[in-house]
DNA sequence: CTTTTGTTAGTTAACGTTCACTATCAATTA
DNA sequence: TAATTGATAGTGAACGTTAACTAACAAAAG
């Protein structure tokens, strides 16, 4: 059995933990299972993490990498409508690539375990909401206001994304999330139609 | 300690189980806790349920009563637009009255425990989707089509409801869900605006 | 007096965590 | 360069606790 340094081992363990949650749900995640999957002893787990909560924290930290990547990609686009499309598409492509992460997102139990975890998750959600709000608001200049409530529109889009991903999960990933997402993006554009004179020409 | 017949005791136990899930998450639901809350012995629980899964099944059965009530109320309304409003409002009023149920809805772990539970939950979701689809489709007569994809609109509305409830949960139920819901209903009507000549006059 | 609803006392298995200890490897010293 | 030292990454066994569940028995109710 190869010896790994803490950094590499931690990464491994976190990945295995996510896999276990994905396979059988959070309540099936135990140190024993984790150790067996990682092919090290249970005690060795504690060389790299303080306790079980610390592992969960690691999962969330990995997940918040999502936001970093998202924000980077969005920043490179200038057109607000394009930004909105990409914001949505990024969710779908990322989650199609990291299926196991959907199990983390939807496992509320993880966050109920501790205040720290709950706070961390709330921050992630808040940031994403803010990012989308800024994008939509940019479509909403003083001289050419949207005829819809931006705050509500943000909730609609995020809820839409979330439910599509949930349906994808319930279908056992039977369809292409990216293709499904593109349909959703089109529909969101349809909603925006006739809601702004500035946008009308382009939609 | 009063002796209860199985029917009454079962109902009690299921209610306590929901409370436990609501308070500390599904992974904290144990027979021991359940027995203590119900003030009977652990063994007594098994007088009324085959096993733990059977209890979870009972929870879902109780929850599917939601759909029965929803369908009944909707059936009494004739105007499709009114139906849509009431469909949404019903979710908010019901969940504000039965807060604990939100924890059941969002606890994916419950359904991952067994195929039976998973199937049951999928049926519930499917039925609700069908109900909403029929409502929106009734706004969509041959001679006066909506300019939006009804199937997609249904996903939008359900996702919207779901995310609002999730935000309500994350806020620790800090606002009135019904009031928040009414705002959402208004917004959905805004979306429908200009999408159908038949509806325009009324919206 | 039989059925139903409860009890107490037990089972085995798994939980997270800690213990004393060891193998591996890089840096310091002889 | 070879031996010594100390940190790091691993081990198996055990800790006390809790998990779901069961067998045997008692009391209440019809």
């Amino acid at each position: 059995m190869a010896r790994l340094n803490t950094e590499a081992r931690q990464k491994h363990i976190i990945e295995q933990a996510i896999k276990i949650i994905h396979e059988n749900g959070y309540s099936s995640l135990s140190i024993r299972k984790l150790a067996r999957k990682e092919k090290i002893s249970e005690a060795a787990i504690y060389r790299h993490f303080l306790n079980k909560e610390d592992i969960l924290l690691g999962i969330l930290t990995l997940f918040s990498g999502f936001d970093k990547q998202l924000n980077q990609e969005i920043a490179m686009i200038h057109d607000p409508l394009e930004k909105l499309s990409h914001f949505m598409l990024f969710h779908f492509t990322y989650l199609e690539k990291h299926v196991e992460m959907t199990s983390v997102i939807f496992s509320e139990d993880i966050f109920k375990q501790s205040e720290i975890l709950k706070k961390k998750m709330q921050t992630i959600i808040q940031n994403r909401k803010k990012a989308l709000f800024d994008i939509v608001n940019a479509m909403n200049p003083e001289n050419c206001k949207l005829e819809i409530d931006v705050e509500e529109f943000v909730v609609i889009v995020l809820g839409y994304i979330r439910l599509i991903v949930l349906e994808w999960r319930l279908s056992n990933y039977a369809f292409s999330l990216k293709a499904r997402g593109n349909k959703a993006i089109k529909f969101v554009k349809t909603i925006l139609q006739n809601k702004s004179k500035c946008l009308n020409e382009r939609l």
Side-chain angles (χ1 to χ4, degrees), chain A residues 20-198:
Chain A
I20 291 172
I21 291 171
H22 185 56
E23 282 159 13
N24 293 99
Y26 167 71
S27 56
S28 85
L29 176 68
S30 71
I31 302 295
R32 201 146 301 176
K33 255 193 197 164
L34 201 44
R36 244 168 246 169
K37 260 214 161 176
E38 184 64 13
K39 281 172 189 156
I40 54 172
S41 68
E42 294 169 51
I45 302 275
Y46 288 89
R47 281 278 168 233
H48 309 289
F49 292 96
L50 255 87
N51 48 34
K52 200 180 173 184
E53 188 189 351
D54 200 26
I55 298 173
L56 299 176
L57 208 66
I59 293 176
L60 288 196
T61 304
L62 181 68
F63 182 61
S64 61
F66 172 97
D67 284 76
K68 271 193 203 122
Q69 215 181 312
L70 172 64
N71 289 333
Q72 259 181 309
E73 291 199 14
I74 294 294
M76 294 198 302
I77 303 167
H78 287 290
D79 178 55
L81 198 64
E82 269 298 307
K83 276 194 181 194
L84 173 62
S85 293
H86 199 78
F87 179 93
M88 292 183 70
L89 193 64
F90 184 84
H91 279 77
F92 299 121
T93 47
Y94 178 92
L95 291 175
E96 188 143 55
K97 214 176 189 172
H98 305 88
V99 202
E100 333 78 41
M101 268 301 176
T102 62
S103 294
V104 174
I105 301 169
F106 287 104
S107 177
E108 289 231 347
D109 255 21
I110 297 178
F111 321 120
K112 270 213 169 149
Q113 301 308 308
S114 88
E115 267 311 306
I116 307 163
L117 294 170
K118 200 181 171 187
K119 279 272 152 63
K120 181 124 192 168
M121 194 57 182
Q122 276 180 316
T123 310
I124 292 173
I125 292 173
Q126 209 53 44
N127 283 346
R128 201 156 315 162
K129 219 174 153 177
K130 176 78 169 59
L132 183 55
F133 182 84
D134 290 342
I135 291 170
V136 181
N137 230 11
M139 288 189 248
N140 197 25
E142 272 302 317
N143 55 333
C144 192
K145 284 273 178 195
L146 279 167
E147 280 162 30
I148 53 167
D149 185 333
V150 176
E151 204 107 34
E152 288 299 300
F153 184 74
V154 164
V155 179
I156 282 261
V157 172
L158 290 177
Y160 194 22
I161 294 171
R162 221 183 144 85
L163 190 55
I164 286 171
V165 175
L166 183 57
E167 288 190 339
W168 186 54
R169 280 170 58 75
L170 290 173
S171 82
N172 275 313
Y173 318 100
F175 54 86
S176 158
L177 187 59
K178 196 185 169 186
R180 177 70 188 84
N182 273 316
K183 200 177 162 193
I185 291 169
K186 264 190 197 164
F187 189 69
V188 167
K189 286 180 179 169
T190 312
I191 291 176
L192 286 174
Q193 225 154 26
N194 303 322
K195 302 296 183 194
S196 156
K197 283 176 186 171
C198 304

